[in-house]
């Protein structure tokens, strides 16, 4: 399995200038190739192949207009053409229904929030004995290693984000690390008040990183809006706002990683619900849905389960997990969101809405779980018809039965006086 390992880079002044030159050259090559293909399409000519574009880049280095392309590694330019091929492939696959549809490749801008260059093994980059990252025509860049790489990486991508931070992203071939087997299985119901509710009754509160940082983000965005466009102060304010957003995103990502790792290590099988996040993001809860980051969390669970030999299950989004009693399996119908605890009309169990849903998620995935620790307790069982004649004459309400027209029965909870009687 191939994984990416990202580490923070700290280039000095000349190295930042060299990286900016590399970002610019890669962007120009990408845009030139995209323009050539679009012109060929408009003229009714065949689709230009990568070999033709590669020769054009080599020829451009010998022209006065593009002579500065030789100042960066040629691998960076070739990888920029590969990125364009990938963009076209994703676009065509979307049209054929092989993947979700996406837009056609667009031209890159120097004002984009994210800039990348990629170095393959042909570029002869290396990690020095001192722990620096040696890049061709850039130099030895200081790296903050947070962990060791499991194997020799095949490529490295240097990324500059909107906050002006630099990262080195390594593609590493890693072996499957099977964890010791365990008998524990879990179903997970995701929410907003609680980020995750487990079928064993555990509830993980939602950190609400965006909501907590909203005041600082609002001030940073307000300061940015008051700066004159094109001024140096506006550029500083933009970086400040981007760093505030980056801190929030980093905290959310760290929370997702820690929680997903804990769940995978403690459980042999994990079941989740396939949520319609895009649909929920168009409701009045959109900000809270985006703040939770469910899709990223589920993606982490899935790849970590595959990496560590655990089983991961997704059930259909239309499973009535909140309507079915996890004790007897009777469907009790939809309920408003403000109903957090409900009584099963069949078996009388008192069910916590979220924990009951988590148990049903596990059951729908074929995992045998118990509601141990959950807020589920036996309730009153409705009396049978033949028992109705055992009560005093004129009594209209008995324990477990409500006298209604048409002989309908409804389970009710006993009052204190009735319980004493």
């Amino acid at each position: 399995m191939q994984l990416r390992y990202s580490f923070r880079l700290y280039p000095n002044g000349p190295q930042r200038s060299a990286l900016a030159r590399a970002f610019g050259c890669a962007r120009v090559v990408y845009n030139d190739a995209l323009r050539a293909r679009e012109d060929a399409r408009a003229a009714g000519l065949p689709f230009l192949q990568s070999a033709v574009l590669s020769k054009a880049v080599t020829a451009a280095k010998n022209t006065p207009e593009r002579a500065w392309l030789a100042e960066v590694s040629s691998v960076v330019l070739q990888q920029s053409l590969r990125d364009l091929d990938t963009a076209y492939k994703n676009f065509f696959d979307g049209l054929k229904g092989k993947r979700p549809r996406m837009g056609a490749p667009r031209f890159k801008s120097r004002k984009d929030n994210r800039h990348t260059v990629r170095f393959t093994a042909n570029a002869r980059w290396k990690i020095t004995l001192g722990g620096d990252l040696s890049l061709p025509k850039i130099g030895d860049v200081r790296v903050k290693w947070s962990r060791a790489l499991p194997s020799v990486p095949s490529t490295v991508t240097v990324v500059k984000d909107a906050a002006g931070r630099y990262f080195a992203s390594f593609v590493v071939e890693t072996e499957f690390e099977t964890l010791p087997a365990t008998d524990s299985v879990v179903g997970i119901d995701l929410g907003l008040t609680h980020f995750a509710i487990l079928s064993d009754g555990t509830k993980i509160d939602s950190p609400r990183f965006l909501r907590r940082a909203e005041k600082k983000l609002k001030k940073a965005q307000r300061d940015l809006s008051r700066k004159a466009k094109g001024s140096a102060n506006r550029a500083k304010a933009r970086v400040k706002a981007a760093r505030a957003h980056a801190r929030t995103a980093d905290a959310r990502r760290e929370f997702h990683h820690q929680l997903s790792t804990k769940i995978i290590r403690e459980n042999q099988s994990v079941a989740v619900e396939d949520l319609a996040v895009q649909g929920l993001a168009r409701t009045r809860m959109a900000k809270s849905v985006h703040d939770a980051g469910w899709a990223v969390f589920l993606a982490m669970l899935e790849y970590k389960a595959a990496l560590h030999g655990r089983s991961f299950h997704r059930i259909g989004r239309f499973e009535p997990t909140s309507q079915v009693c996890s004790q007897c399996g009777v469907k009790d119908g939809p309920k408003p969101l403000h109903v957090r605890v409900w009584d099963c009309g069949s078996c009388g169990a008192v069910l916590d809405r979220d924990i009951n849903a988590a148990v049903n998620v596990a059951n729908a995935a074929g995992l045998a779980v118990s509601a141990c620790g959950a807020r589920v307790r036996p309730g009153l069982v409705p009396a049978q018809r033949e028992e109705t004649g055992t009560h005093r004459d004129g009594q209209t309400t008995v324990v477990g039965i409500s006298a209604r027209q048409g002989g309908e029965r409804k389970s009710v909870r006993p009052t204190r006086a009735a319980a004493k009687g």
Side-chain angles (χ1 to χ4, degrees):
M1 175 183 289
Q2 285 188 338
L3 294 178
R4 282 193 175 273
Y5 286 73
S6 293
F7 303 92
R8 186 78 181 269
L9 289 180
Y10 294 92
N12 55 29
Q15 291 170 349
R16 286 196 296 269
S17 299
L19 285 172
R21 189 181 306 112
F23 293 142
C25 290
R27 181 180 65 250
V28 168
V29 168
Y30 184 96
N31 290 341
D32 287 348
L34 177 57
R35 171 57 62 193
R37 282 181 171 171
E38 289 299 308
D39 291 343
R41 182 185 64 84
L45 299 176
F47 185 81
L48 294 180
Q49 300 299 321
S50 299
V52 177
L53 297 176
S54 180
K55 293 179 180 179
V57 171
T58 303
K61 293 181 181 179
N62 299 323
T63 62
E65 296 81 7
R66 293 286 190 266
W68 36 267
L69 290 177
E71 298 178 4
V72 301
S73 173
S74 60
V75 173
V76 169
L77 308 182
Q78 296 299 322
Q79 291 302 308
S80 186
L81 295 179
R82 301 292 87 76
D83 291 341
L84 180 60
D85 289 340
T86 302
Y88 269 106
K89 183 180 183 301
N90 293 339
F91 172 62
F92 291 139
D93 287 347
L95 295 179
K96 297 175 183 177
K98 296 181 179 179
R99 59 167 296 149
R101 299 193 65 168
M102 59 188 308
R106 67 168 185 86
F107 292 97
K108 293 184 178 182
S109 171
R110 62 182 180 86
K111 297 182 180 180
D112 288 343
N113 291 330
R114 191 171 184 270
H115 303 277
T116 64
V117 289
R118 185 166 60 253
F119 299 88
T120 62
N122 294 334
R124 296 182 180 179
W125 63 272
K126 63 179 180 179
I127 299 175
T128 65
L129 296 178
D132 294 337
L133 178 62
S134 180
L135 299 174
K137 298 189 178 181
I138 294 175
D140 296 346
V141 185
R142 185 165 64 91
V143 186
K144 184 177 181 180
W145 300 100
S146 56
R147 52 184 170 176
L149 292 172
S151 61
V152 179
S154 58
T155 63
V156 58
T157 302
V158 179
V159 181
K160 181 184 178 183
D161 65 4
R165 303 178 301 176
Y166 294 86
F167 296 90
S169 179
F170 299 92
V171 177
V172 177
E173 190 72 31
T174 181
E175 298 293 335
F176 292 95
E177 181 187 353
T178 304
L179 295 174
T182 176
D183 296 332
S184 179
V185 297
V186 68
I188 304 175
D189 180 63
L190 299 177
L192 296 178
T193 303
H194 294 91
F195 176 78
I197 301 91
L198 308 186
S199 56
D200 61 0
T202 304
K203 292 187 176 182
I204 295 96
D205 290 334
S206 180
R208 299 184 179 182
F209 295 104
L210 180 62
R211 296 288 187 180
R212 286 160 48 188
E214 210 165 15
K215 186 175 181 181
K216 292 182 179 180
L217 295 175
K218 181 179 179 181
K219 183 180 184 302
Q221 294 291 155
R222 184 171 60 244
D223 293 343
L224 174 62
S225 66
R226 292 174 176 174
K227 301 296 187 292
K229 291 186 177 181
S231 65
N233 286 336
R234 183 178 178 85
K236 295 177 184 178
R238 184 198 62 77
V239 173
K240 186 176 180 180
R243 287 178 178 173
H245 283 283
R247 282 192 293 268
T248 303
D250 290 345
R252 183 187 298 111
R253 188 183 305 108
E254 181 68 13
F255 167 74
H256 287 162
H257 271 298
Q258 291 183 358
L259 180 59
S260 59
T261 300
K262 182 176 184 294
I263 291 175
I264 292 298
R265 289 188 178 277
E266 294 178 353
N267 299 277
Q268 186 68 31
S269 299
V270 179
V272 299
E273 187 176 4
D274 186 18
L275 297 173
V277 178
Q278 291 183 349
L280 293 172
R282 291 193 292 266
T283 65
R284 60 184 177 86
M285 303 181 293
K287 183 180 289 187
S288 297
V289 170
H290 287 302
D291 190 13
W294 292 330
V296 175
F297 174 70
L298 295 183
M300 289 182 181
L301 279 177
E302 187 169 11
Y303 90 78
K304 290 180 181 180
L307 182 64
H308 297 298
R310 304 304 199 195
S311 60
F312 179 82
H313 308 272
R314 286 180 186 262
I315 69 168
R317 64 185 59 172
F318 298 109
E319 287 286 339
T321 55
S322 298
Q323 304 178 24
V324 176
C325 174
S326 59
Q327 301 299 297
C328 63
V330 173
K331 186 176 180 180
D332 205 17
K335 299 163 188 65
L337 288 177
H338 69 271
V339 177
R340 310 314 302 174
V341 179
W342 56 284
D343 299 349
C344 177
S346 177
C347 66
V350 181
L351 305 167
D352 182 288
R353 179 192 184 108
D354 299 324
I355 298 176
N356 179 73
V359 174
N360 285 331
V361 168
N363 292 336
L367 307 180
V369 299
S370 64
C372 180
R375 190 175 172 183
V376 179
R377 60 179 174 83
L380 294 171
V381 179
Q384 301 299 319
R385 282 288 185 181
E386 56 270 17
E387 297 179 5
T388 59
T390 62
H391 302 283
R392 296 189 301 269
D393 294 337
Q395 184 176 0
T396 59
T397 303
V398 296
V399 176
I401 298 179
S402 176
R404 303 177 61 184
Q405 294 181 354
E408 294 181 45
R409 294 184 297 163
K410 182 179 180 181
S411 174
V412 298
R413 302 181 67 178
T415 63
R416 181 174 298 179
K420 290 181 178 179

